[in-house]
């Protein structure tokens, strides 16, 4: 039994948001009208999440990424990660964090046997960081990155949301980090999520960044893709330990090969980030449904996956609620 959508794509990657709470207020993530936090009772318990993951594994899910909101702010996250790492069928477990609490919890992360992390960092300038995120914590993130590097966590992926007129003056410096550190710096195209005119004003194609880097830093040598690669096109500058990636979320759709399903913190399955169609799996679980019913809902959600988000304008839900 596999999770196959209407277009014969096999879904083997589940992205799980464990909380809608976040300790930052990023301009592209919490946009527009005030964000309505979920009630605690509406958020899936760890037990419920593990049950869904277990069912998803029997339908061929091989890769799980934990996200949020900010996953490190949820109580009990490290015990949860430890339990998750017991699922030996999973070939890849990782989490995405803003890194603010990374240094403080580096030992917990290692203890939970998580070896792959994605950290969001859009700027190397502490003042600009505050403008983008609303909070003065750039040094916390940087110290966390260095702690993760020194503890041997690999790969450390740095997610940079590319925004023309906001961090365009730093793309070269961010890419240049790969000369010194084995970081994988990935430039992500801004996505039209939530109500915001940010997208109209600051969107830029990842190709422009790539050209810029090639002009100023040297040739980008393609890196061979592996089966667990996400949608990033991966490159290296000659002789450098790190990698530079481009995620063309908007300009080149990677929908054709999209293998993802999302589980939101309130227990909704969402087969496409840029589609508002979801399936509520929390209600049947709380009514005591069987595992085969969970399989049924997972398959139903997979069938809702659109072939492409090509006609999608703006998703009304905010990224902090969906789990990027
Ligand atoms: N709090 C964690 C973090 O900061 O990485 C995890 C959640 S965050 C929603 C996950 C990722 O989504 C981050 O890398 C963030 O930069 C990205 N993201 C959020 N809103 C976005 C948008 N409108 N376009 C592109 N990426 C976005």
């Amino acid at each position: 039994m596999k999770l196959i959508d209407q277009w014969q794509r096999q879904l083997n990657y589940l992205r799980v948001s464990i909380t809608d709470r976040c300790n930052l207020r990023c301009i592209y993530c919490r946009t527009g009208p005030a964000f309505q936090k979920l009630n605690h009772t509406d958020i899936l318990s760890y037990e419920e999440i593990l049950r869904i993951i277990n069912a998803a594994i029997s339908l061929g899910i091989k890769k799980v990424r934990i996200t949020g909101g900010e996953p490190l702010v949820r109580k009990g996250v490290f015990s949860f990660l430890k339990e998750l790492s017991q699922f030996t069928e999973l070939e890849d477990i990782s989490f995405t964090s803003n890194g603010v609490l990374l240094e403080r919890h580096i030992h917990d992360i290692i203890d939970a046997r998580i070896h792959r992390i994605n950290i969001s960092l859009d700027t190397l300038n502490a003042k600009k960081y505050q403008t983008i995120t609303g909070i003065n914590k750039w040094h916390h993130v940087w110290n966390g990155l260095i702690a993760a590097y020194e503890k041997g966590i690999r790969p450390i992926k740095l997610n940079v949301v590319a925004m023309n007129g906001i961090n365009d003056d730093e793309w070269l410096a961010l890419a240049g980090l790969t000369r010194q550190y084995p970081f994988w710096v990935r430039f992500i195209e801004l996505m039209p999520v939530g109500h915001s005119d940010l997208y109209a004003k600051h969107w830029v194609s990842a190709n422009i960044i790539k050209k810029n880097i090639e002009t100023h830093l040297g040739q980008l040598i393609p890196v061979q893709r592996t089966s667990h690669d996400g949608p990033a096109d991966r490159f290296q500058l000659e002789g450098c330990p790190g990698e530079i990636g481009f995620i063309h979320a908007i300009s080149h759709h990677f929908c054709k090969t999209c293998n993802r399903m999302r589980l939101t913190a309130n227990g909704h399955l969402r087969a496409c980030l840029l589609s508002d169609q979801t399936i509520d799996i929390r209600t049947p679980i709380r009514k005591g449904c069987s595992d085969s019913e969970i399989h049924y809902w997972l398959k139903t959600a997979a069938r809702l996956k659109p072939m492409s988000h090509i006609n999608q304008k703006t998703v009304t839900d905010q990224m902090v609620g969906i789990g990027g």
Side-chain angles (χ1 to χ4, degrees), residues 5-7 9 11 255 258-261 270-273 277 300-308:
D5 73 5
Q6 291 186 71
W7 323 99
R9 289 172 299 200
L11 312 188
C255 303
C258 182
N259 58 353
R260 291 179 195 182
M261 166 89 81
R270 185 178 190 117
C272 173
L273 172 66
Q277 275 198 306
T300 305
R303 276 199 299 276
L304 287 180
K305 196 170 173 75
M307 190 175 74
S308 136

Side-chain angles (χ1 to χ4, degrees), residues 39 55 57 120 129 148 167 172-173 210 232 240 257 266 268 279 288 303:
N39 289 325
I57 288 172
S120 302
Y129 183 85
N167 60 5
L172 297 179
K210 181 166 179 261
C240 295
T257 54
N266 62 346
H268 283 239
I279 289 281
R303 276 199 299 276

Side-chain angles (χ1 to χ4, degrees), residues 19-71:
T19 180
D20 65 334
R21 309 299 202 262
C22 190
N23 43 0
L24 298 182
R25 301 285 176 270
C26 298
I27 48 177
Y28 44 71
C29 198
R30 278 187 188 214
T31 55
F35 178 67
Q36 289 287 324
K37 278 195 235 166
L38 294 171
N39 289 325
H40 280 291
T41 49
D42 291 336
I43 295 177
L44 290 179
S45 67
Y46 287 132
E47 208 180 6
E48 289 166 333
I49 296 173
L50 289 166
R51 187 165 174 220
I52 296 167
I53 293 176
N54 191 32
I57 288 172
S58 48
L59 293 180
I61 291 291
K62 298 265 180 237
K63 174 173 175 179
V64 169
R65 170 176 297 282
I66 303 303
T67 181
E70 170 52 36

Side-chain angles (χ1 to χ4, degrees), residues 199-216:
Y199 180 74
K201 283 195 189 144
H202 299 287
W203 185 83
V204 58
S205 142
N207 270 343
I208 294 197
I209 304 170
K210 181 166 179 261
K211 276 194 196 130
N212 217 318
I213 293 172
E214 286 189 305
T215 307
H216 295 98

Side-chain angles (χ1 to χ4, degrees), residues 28-29 67-70 96-98 120 159 161 189-191 319 324:
Y28 44 71
C29 198
T67 181
E70 170 52 36
T96 300
S97 163
N98 57 37
S120 302
N159 287 348
V161 177
E189 286 178 353
L190 184 63
M191 287 183 267
M319 195 70 116

